[in-house]
Amino acid sequence: MAEFEVAIRDGSERAIRSILGYVEAVNGAQAERLHEIVGTEKS
């Protein structure tokens, strides 16, 4: 999860969308945390 957080902070828009989509499919609670980091709402 820590690696996803780094990638979210430093990634391109496409990478961020991909990571968020994957994490949303696997673990909603973790996806919410990543959305907080990015400043977006969970889809």
Side-chain angles (χ1 to χ4, degrees):
M1 193 61 197
E3 290 180 29
F4 283 141
E5 289 183 18
V6 170
I8 285 286
R9 287 186 176 101
D10 299 334
S12 67
E13 186 176 334
R14 181 177 181 186
I16 291 168
R17 284 194 316 262
S18 297
I19 292 166
L20 289 173
Y22 171 76
V23 176
E24 285 174 2
V26 175
N27 188 315
Q30 289 177 338
E32 288 181 22
R33 170 70 181 130
L34 293 179
H35 278 285
E36 289 173 6
I37 290 170
V38 177
T40 60
E41 292 186 23
K42 187 175 173 188
S43 55

